[in-house]
């Protein structure tokens, strides 16, 4: 499934998932279907129907989906992809104790499983969008009404590069001249979509599993 599928689903269902510092009026990252939780499992392995979104992977103790960047570009480590032995599937952000997020407890404060003296995850990186540390960020599941109240983008403005149609098309379809994915979104969702104001109701309607 394409990484932007969740962003299109946001328009269709009225539920948006963003990663940002609580005081921001923009998302540092628009969370997508490939998104990974601090526990190491992807968003689709979590139960997204309630206020808390625990992981459903057998044996995982994660009590709530907590997005963590899974690409080096997201945390300013652009040079890693130039290394001949770099494996993007194995990449994990690390704590200052040198261990990755999957080597820490899945629930806050994310104490390290290997360092007795590391009581909480302190990121060794900063966000490429805001220059703040991972622990300053939160994951938000919001309705359109909630986002409008916070002056956050909704509808077509939520899509990547919404203000530049050629780049938007490139993200959605891989071809900057192909607007089929954007045009396939019902007009109501693109311009004046008014979803339910209940986060739980919207998630139930979305087939978001």
């Amino acid at each position: 499934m394409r990484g932007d599928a969740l962003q299109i689903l946001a328009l269709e269902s009225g539920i948006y998932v963003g990663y940002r510092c609580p005081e921001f009026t923009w998302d540092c990252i628009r969370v997508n279907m490939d998104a990974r939780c601090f526990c190491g499992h992807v968003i689709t392995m979590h139960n997204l129907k309630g206020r808390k979104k625990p992981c459903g992977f057998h044996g995982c103790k994660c009590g709530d989906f907590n997005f963590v960047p899974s690409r080096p570009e997201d945390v300013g480590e652009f040079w890693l992809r130039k290394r001949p032995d770099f494996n993007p599937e194995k990449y994990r952000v690390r704590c200052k104790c040198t261990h990755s997020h999957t080597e820490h407890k899945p629930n806050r404060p994310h104490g390290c499983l290997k360092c007795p003296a590391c009581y909480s995850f302190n990121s060794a990186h900063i966000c490429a969008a805001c220059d703040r540390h991972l622990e300053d960020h939160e994951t938000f599941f919001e309705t359109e009404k909630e986002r409008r109240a916070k002056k956050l983008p909704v509808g077509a403005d939520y899509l990547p590069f919404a203000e530049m149609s050629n780049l938007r098309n490139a993200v959605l379809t891989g071809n900057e001249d192909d607007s089929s994915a954007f045009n396939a979104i019902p007009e109501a969702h693109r311009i004046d979509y008014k979803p339910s104001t209940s986060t739980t109701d919207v998630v139930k309607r979305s087939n978001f599993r």
Side-chain angles (χ1 to χ4, degrees):
M1 182 176 291
R2 290 185 57 85
D4 51 76
L6 187 54
Q7 292 156 21
I8 293 178
L9 179 60
L11 274 64
E12 297 175 343
S13 68
I15 200 72
Y16 297 78
V17 190
Y19 170 79
R20 64 179 184 272
C21 297
E23 67 272 23
F24 287 0
T25 55
W26 71 88
D27 295 308
C28 292
I29 297 177
R30 298 173 178 88
V31 177
N32 60 43
M33 283 292 198
D34 300 323
R36 195 173 298 278
C37 176
F38 197 94
C39 70
H41 301 120
V42 294
I43 191 170
T44 50
M45 291 183 178
H46 290 68
N47 181 350
L48 303 173
K49 294 183 178 180
R51 187 176 67 85
K52 292 288 186 179
K53 297 162 175 63
C55 184
F57 188 83
H58 181 70
C60 184
K61 297 180 180 180
C62 171
D64 198 9
F65 180 81
N66 184 15
F67 173 81
V68 64
S70 58
R71 303 186 311 154
E73 296 89 345
D74 294 334
V75 297
E77 297 178 335
F78 302 93
W79 63 88
L80 288 178
R81 288 194 184 272
K82 296 180 180 180
R83 294 181 176 177
D85 60 344
F86 176 72
N87 185 341
E89 296 300 320
K90 294 183 177 180
Y91 175 78
R92 300 290 185 270
V93 294
R94 294 185 175 275
C95 174
K96 290 180 180 177
C97 75
T98 73
H99 294 113
S100 71
H101 66 90
T102 52
E103 295 172 305
H104 287 69
K105 294 178 180 179
N107 300 308
R108 294 180 186 276
H110 305 300
C112 186
L113 296 170
K114 295 192 172 185
C115 295
C118 179
Y119 299 107
S120 63
F121 187 88
N122 292 284
S123 58
H125 66 271
I126 56 175
C127 173
C130 72
D131 291 341
R132 298 271 292 275
H133 285 277
L134 179 146
E135 51 271 25
D136 296 329
H137 293 69
E138 294 181 18
T139 305
F140 295 86
F141 288 76
E142 301 162 306
T143 63
E144 181 173 330
K145 181 178 180 180
E146 290 168 338
R147 286 181 67 87
R148 287 188 184 279
K150 298 174 185 176
K151 302 186 186 302
L152 289 158
V154 297
D157 290 339
Y158 178 73
L159 291 174
F161 302 109
E163 69 282 4
M164 294 177 281
S165 60
N166 60 328
L167 293 181
R168 178 203 67 207
N169 292 341
V171 171
L172 297 180
T173 67
N175 182 347
E176 65 178 30
D177 296 319
D178 183 0
S179 60
S180 60
F182 177 73
N183 292 335
I185 300 169
E187 191 74 13
H189 301 317
R190 284 191 268 147
I191 295 178
D192 195 27
Y193 178 56
K194 295 181 176 61
S196 164
T197 56
S198 167
T199 302
T200 301
D201 289 346
V202 172
V203 172
K204 286 181 178 178
R205 291 206 319 268
S206 69
N207 292 321
F208 189 71
R209 301 180 179 90

